[in-house]
Amino acid sequence: MVSIAEFSDEPIFTIKVVCERTGIKPVTLRAWERRYNLLDPSRLENNYRLYSDRDIQILRWITHRLENGLTISRAVREYHELRLNGIWPEALPILQTPVLRNPPKAAPKEYSEQLFTAITSHNEIKARQIIDTIQSVFNLETIFFEIFNPCLYEIGEAWYRGEIRIATEHYASGFIRGFLMNLLQAFPVNNRAPKLLVGCAPEEFHEIGPLMLSVLLRREGYQVEFLGSDLPVDDLVAYAEDISPDMVILSAGFEHTARPLFQFQEKLNKLSPKSLFGFGGRYFNENSSARDAMQGVFLGSTLAEAIRNVHDLMD
Ligand code: B12
């Protein structure tokens, strides 16, 4: 993680370059400066503005807050408050630079099929190339929901029909899991944000759903710890007692993995301060009576819904 303070404050970039790199229109940038005292760029003799690398990082941080639904005045106020307390926000990973986006050459479905072919033929070089391409043209939601999920679904179906080996299915999930872990670690950890623990119910090994959720929640600015698969309930409660998370989020895909979760919220309620319990996953999507019977909050049948619900609960 890199603090914005670590970027150079030498004024070298014109407004044109800054706007290209941040995706902000010049007129908007000037308005933000005027109305909210956001930046104080140096001036050339002809009065042209000059910005630093640090200014660009500040603007990227601000636009990321806007993408998260904050108003500009609130985002700038948050930034100024941090600075008043002597804190520099963490820089966003370069991955998120909007100006890298090129128009896609094909629809997500097509990339999903290409990825399926590359992975099921164990062609890692091709799979890497596809990942590099999709990262430069699509946002994370498209990559997760429209490329990875259909690809994994097809892999599951092909495995079920006996068309691909178990080794291939493991290779596929390992490849995608690896990419998601790298992504998770590339996002800054925000120590001041609500703390969320995310993982799988006992004996549940399908961790890609909760891992995707962790990446998206960390991108939203939450302090997320991804704990992986097969978490024993009592150990998790003991860990929650140690670190007092705001919420523990667990995923279950089968009846037998969901069963131990029925007493989970009750166990969390004995802790002080209490932590919320959020749950989801294939089993709950398919069994409305189970999700109604469960104590805690069903976060939704999709990850996008889960993000919205976490926002509401954390507010
Ligand atoms: C990869 C994979 C595995 C890998 C997982 C590796 C890993 N590190 O994650 C391994 C090899 C371990 C595995 C094992 C098994 N698997 Co499997 N597996 C899959 C596969 C191919 C992809 C799963 C995946 O990651 N999908 C992508 C994610 C994002 O989707 P998702 O998990 O469905 O999650 C979505 C929602 O459920 C929700 N969600 C998920 N978690 C959460 C959490 C919260 C809080 C919220 C709000 C939402 C949410 O959001 C997601 C996006 O929409 C699926 C195929 C498929 N159709 O999904 C089969 C599949 C799920 N597996 C299946 C089976 C049968 C098994 C095994 C029983 C096989 C066996 N005989 O050993 C074991 C069970 C292991 C266990 N106890 O958990 C079946 C399940 C059938 C069923 N309905 O019961 C499937 C559907 C394959 C098939 N077509 O038959 N599997």
Side-chain angles (χ1 to χ4, degrees):
M1 284 146 313
V2 184
S3 153
I4 285 180
E6 289 174 47
F7 287 80
S8 161
D9 61 355
E10 192 186 343
I12 47 175
F13 299 116
T14 61
I15 193 164
K16 183 167 178 282
V17 173
V18 173
C19 292
E20 271 168 16
R21 293 207 183 168
T22 58
I24 302 167
K25 292 201 181 86
V27 58
T28 310
L29 180 51
R30 286 192 211 100
W32 288 357
E33 286 173 16
R34 211 173 42 245
R35 285 190 210 143
Y36 306 107
N37 291 324
L38 178 58
L39 298 174
D40 187 15
S42 305
R43 301 276 179 164
L44 287 171
E45 279 162 14
N46 56 11
N47 211 27
Y48 281 13
R49 293 161 158 83
L50 270 192
Y51 298 84
S52 66
D53 232 344
R54 190 181 292 173
D55 292 330
I56 292 178
Q57 297 308 318
I58 295 168
L59 291 170
R60 292 182 66 226
W61 186 87
I62 292 282
T63 48
H64 180 61
R65 306 302 287 151
L66 301 185
E67 281 162 19
N68 286 351
L70 259 65
T71 59
I72 177 66
S73 59
R74 171 100 191 267
V76 178
R77 197 166 67 232
E78 214 177 271
Y79 168 73
H80 282 318
E81 275 167 16
L82 287 171
R83 293 299 303 118
L84 275 174
N85 290 314
I87 299 166
W88 281 103
E90 272 155 15
L92 293 183
I94 297 305
L95 194 77
Q96 286 216 307
T97 312
V99 287
L100 286 179
R101 299 259 155 82
N102 310 309
K105 293 202 171 66
K109 185 171 178 289
E110 217 168 291
Y111 285 111
S112 184
E113 289 163 4
Q114 286 177 18
L115 190 61
F116 174 87
T117 309
I119 290 184
T120 52
S121 46
H122 294 247
N123 185 343
E124 195 154 334
I125 295 174
K126 181 70 191 159
R128 273 259 111 244
Q129 281 168 357
I130 296 167
I131 294 278
D132 288 346
T133 306
I134 58 181
Q135 263 193 282
S136 69
V137 293
F138 294 118
N139 62 21
L140 287 187
E141 283 81 356
T142 307
I143 295 176
F144 290 1
F145 308 154
E146 296 180 51
I147 299 176
F148 285 173
N149 286 1
C151 174
L152 283 163
Y153 178 84
E154 283 311 321
I155 284 167
E157 293 303 295
W159 164 78
Y160 186 72
R161 292 192 298 265
E163 289 165 9
I164 61 166
R165 295 177 192 285
I166 293 177
T168 301
E169 194 244 32
H170 283 29
Y171 172 76
S173 50
F175 178 82
I176 291 184
R177 185 189 184 281
F179 169 76
L180 293 169
M181 280 307 292
N182 282 337
L183 206 52
L184 182 72
Q185 285 160 4
F187 280 110
V189 177
N190 182 352
N191 289 331
R192 293 168 300 279
K195 185 163 202 157
L196 315 175
L197 302 182
V198 183
C200 297
E203 292 182 43
E204 178 60 61
F205 291 94
H206 295 99
E207 53 180 346
I208 294 178
L211 179 52
M212 283 180 180
L213 182 61
S214 301
V215 172
L216 295 172
L217 286 170
R218 196 176 269 188
R219 189 194 60 178
E220 295 296 300
Y222 292 104
Q223 198 185 155
V224 182
E225 262 182 44
F226 174 66
L227 303 178
S229 62
D230 185 25
L231 294 161
V233 165
D234 290 337
D235 183 77
L236 195 51
V237 172
Y239 182 48
E241 184 166 21
D242 287 347
I243 64 154
S244 305
D246 295 274
M247 189 173 347
V248 182
I249 301 177
L250 294 176
S251 173
F254 302 96
E255 199 270 337
H256 76 279
T257 63
R259 206 179 308 128
L261 304 185
F262 279 87
Q263 275 77 46
F264 193 66
Q265 179 72 75
E266 212 175 293
K267 290 185 179 181
L268 286 182
N269 285 347
K270 295 194 180 118
L271 308 182
S272 176
K274 285 178 196 164
S275 303
L276 278 173
F277 170 42
F279 61 91
R282 207 166 26 83
Y283 177 70
F284 296 107
N285 289 352
E286 291 165 5
N287 293 279
S288 58
S289 55
R291 59 176 188 252
D292 294 345
M294 179 79 87
Q295 282 186 53
V297 187
F298 174 59
L299 291 177
S301 52
T302 64
L303 300 183
E305 237 177 279
I307 306 279
R308 282 195 296 275
N309 282 322
V310 170
H311 278 323
D312 288 347
L313 292 162
M314 291 299 104
D315 271 353

